[in-house]
Amino acid sequence: MGPAKSKKDKLVLDTSLFVNPEVRNDFGRSPTEAMNNFLELAEQVPSLEFYMPPSIFEELLNFVDKRRIPGALLAVIHQKSPCIHEMTTPAVFLYELIEDMRQRINKGLRVAEKAVRSAGDEGEREVIKGMRKGYREALREGILDSKEDVDLILLAKELDAVLVTLDQGAIKWAEKLGIRWLMPEKFKEYLESFIDKSGK
Amino acid sequence: MGPAKSKKDKLVLDTSLFVNPEVRNDFGRSPTEAMNNFLELAEQVPSLEFYMPPSIFEELLNFVDKRRIPGALLAVIHQKSPCIHEMTTPAVFLYELIEDMRQRINKGLRVAEKAVRSAGDEGEREVIKGMRKGYREALREGILDSKEDVDLILLAKELDAVLVTLDQGAIKWAEKLGIRWLMPEKFKEYLESFIDKSGK
């Protein structure tokens, strides 16, 4: 027996891994297939523990065919919320979050003003469609913008786990908390590297 | 000598007290006059200590005639930032802040959509003016929306002080942190009550 790590390393997984085609295609053609193939791989890596906040798991269930998800999945991916009523975050986070939002709110208003000005030139429906896109980009992208995102980073913090997500907002805030994260597009190779080693 | 409180009670003051006519008029007709009259009262209440975050003090200086503010003011109102790099806040705050913002962002988009739809009926300038107002109300009012607000609540928390502000967003968040606050419209009477007592 070689020198074994006494403690299992933990990973916190986001829905995006099984949904976003960019990464999901490594695992399967559909979210359900991706889940099952991940499961098969994960079972061969006893040195890793996988976690998912229940809010994220629930999101995932919207994308997969529940009947085709084996019960073993629930044994492999532990569902756990962060202890949000016990944990604290640095006060400086409030400043950063509020400053970030403030700038985005101003950007959102500029998007809306531009739309009103162009309302005469194009069809109303087109203008509103374009505005919604611009507004969403201004106010939501790259920001910590949902409870699910906060669940991900706080759970990773609590467990001292590696975060695996495609969400840039979550990654940005994970870095502020000193949370390790993994390039999601290398997630499959990462898992396989453990299997290769144990096979030697 | 009667039974004296061994520790001085502390108050954290917001600019609004000296600027917003609703409360400022209790102290004087202009911000500068209000400041000076407050100063006169405050000097007679040695049992209270007054604090203001530097960010708030700087805001205040935009409203007053600096030449007419006596140096004694700086001895009465202590300028102090909260220790933001040492303090922490409950993690649940992140959730509440993000959930609040999320709802407001959606409201802001509805305001913008309505403006685009009415762009044909009214003059462009009027539509944009109305939209700005609605958007600001949707996204900014009653929310913790500036670094200055965060300074106020964190300083009050750090000092275990009473917060005196007209800002509803700051009051709402102060309550979450168990910070005492004072009805700003009673601030002058509150100060006077200390003077009456000491005169007896």
Side-chain angles (χ1 to χ4, degrees):
Chain A
M1 230 169 94
K5 241 180 150 181
S6 61
K7 233 178 110 189
K8 286 186 177 192
D9 209 4
K10 290 168 181 161
L11 279 87
V12 169
L13 310 182
D14 188 13
T15 323
S16 50
L17 298 174
F18 306 106
V19 174
N20 189 312
E22 233 180 285
V23 168
R24 186 247 288 154
N25 284 339
D26 294 347
F27 288 98
R29 282 161 308 170
S30 70
T32 310
E33 198 181 300
M35 275 273 29
N36 281 315
N37 286 336
F38 158 75
L39 190 55
E40 209 170 285
L41 260 177
E43 284 181 316
Q44 299 173 59
V45 191
S47 59
L48 295 180
E49 265 178 13
F50 303 94
Y51 287 84
M52 203 176 248
S55 61
I56 294 285
F57 194 79
E58 217 166 284
E59 240 180 35
L60 181 63
L61 291 185
N62 295 326
F63 293 97
V64 298
D65 179 355
K66 276 181 225 178
R67 292 161 305 174
R68 288 183 52 214
I69 294 291
L73 182 71
L74 303 178
V76 168
I77 298 185
H78 305 284
Q79 287 179 61
K80 180 184 159 13
S81 305
C83 301
I84 60 166
H85 287 282
E86 291 161 31
M87 295 176 80
T88 58
T89 51
V92 74
F93 267 33
L94 287 188
Y95 289 85
E96 294 183 11
L97 207 56
I98 282 164
E99 196 51 28
D100 196 4
M101 277 314 310
R102 208 182 163 87
Q103 285 171 15
R104 284 164 186 272
I105 286 170
N106 290 338
K107 251 196 244 170
L109 183 57
R110 296 291 98 76
V111 169
E113 285 169 1
K114 210 177 137 199
V116 170
R117 285 197 191 99
S118 65
D121 314 332
E122 298 171 61
E124 189 181 286
R125 199 172 288 186
E126 280 309 299
V127 170
I128 287 186
K129 201 177 144 192
M131 181 182 72
R132 281 188 186 143
K133 189 171 171 287
Y135 188 82
R136 208 171 304 124
E137 281 170 9
L139 277 122
R140 307 266 312 262
E141 278 182 19
I143 198 177
L144 200 64
D145 86 323
S146 69
K147 288 191 287 186
E148 290 77 15
D149 286 356
V150 186
D151 275 340
L152 281 175
I153 61 162
L154 292 183
L155 183 60
K157 181 70 187 173
E158 181 187 326
L159 300 174
D160 187 20
V162 179
L163 177 63
V164 199
T165 178
L166 273 86
D167 189 308
Q168 288 305 312
I171 290 176
K172 190 177 135 195
W173 284 83
E175 287 184 349
K176 292 180 201 276
L177 280 172
I179 293 166
R180 293 172 294 154
W181 61 274
L182 198 74
M183 281 170 72
E185 56 272 38
K186 293 286 173 193
F187 181 46
K188 198 186 173 194
E189 279 185 46
Y190 170 83
L191 291 178
E192 287 169 340
S193 76
F194 285 83
I195 300 172
D196 292 340
K197 272 181 202 156
S198 60
K200 265 174 201 165
Chain B
M1 232 169 91
K5 238 180 150 181
S6 62
K7 233 178 111 188
K8 286 186 178 191
D9 208 6
K10 291 167 181 163
L11 280 86
V12 169
L13 309 181
D14 187 11
T15 322
S16 50
L17 299 173
F18 307 107
V19 174
N20 189 311
E22 233 179 285
V23 169
R24 187 247 289 155
N25 284 340
D26 294 347
F27 288 98
R29 281 162 308 171
S30 70
T32 310
E33 198 182 300
M35 275 276 27
N36 281 315
N37 285 337
F38 158 76
L39 190 56
E40 209 169 285
L41 261 177
E43 283 181 318
Q44 299 172 60
V45 190
S47 59
L48 295 179
E49 266 179 11
F50 304 93
Y51 288 83
M52 202 176 249
S55 61
I56 295 284
F57 194 80
E58 216 166 284
E59 241 179 34
L60 181 63
L61 290 185
N62 295 326
F63 293 97
V64 299
D65 179 354
K66 277 182 226 179
R67 291 162 306 175
R68 287 184 51 215
I69 294 292
L73 181 72
L74 304 178
V76 169
I77 298 186
H78 305 284
Q79 287 179 64
K80 178 182 162 16
S81 306
C83 300
I84 60 166
H85 288 283
E86 290 161 32
M87 295 176 83
T88 59
T89 50
V92 74
F93 267 34
L94 286 187
Y95 290 84
E96 294 183 11
L97 206 57
I98 282 165
E99 197 51 27
D100 196 6
M101 276 316 307
R102 206 181 166 87
Q103 284 170 16
R104 284 163 185 272
I105 285 170
N106 290 339
K107 251 195 245 171
L109 183 57
R110 297 290 98 75
V111 169
E113 285 168 2
K114 209 177 138 198
V116 170
R117 286 197 192 98
S118 66
D121 316 331
E122 299 171 59
E124 189 181 287
R125 200 170 288 186
E126 280 310 299
V127 171
I128 288 186
K129 202 177 145 192
M131 180 183 72
R132 281 189 186 142
K133 190 170 170 288
Y135 186 83
R136 208 171 303 124
E137 280 169 10
L139 277 123
R140 306 268 311 263
E141 277 180 21
I143 198 177
L144 200 63
D145 87 321
S146 69
K147 288 192 286 187
E148 289 75 15
D149 286 356
V150 186
D151 275 340
L152 282 176
I153 61 163
L154 292 183
L155 184 60
K157 180 72 186 170
E158 181 186 324
L159 300 174
D160 186 20
V162 179
L163 178 61
V164 199
T165 178
L166 273 85
D167 190 309
Q168 288 306 313
I171 289 175
K172 189 177 135 196
W173 284 82
E175 287 184 350
K176 291 180 202 274
L177 281 171
I179 293 166
R180 292 172 293 156
W181 61 274
L182 198 74
M183 281 170 73
E185 56 272 37
K186 293 286 173 190
F187 181 46
K188 198 187 173 192
E189 278 183 48
Y190 170 85
L191 291 177
E192 287 168 342
S193 74
F194 284 85
I195 300 172
D196 291 341
K197 273 181 202 158
S198 61
K200 265 174 202 165

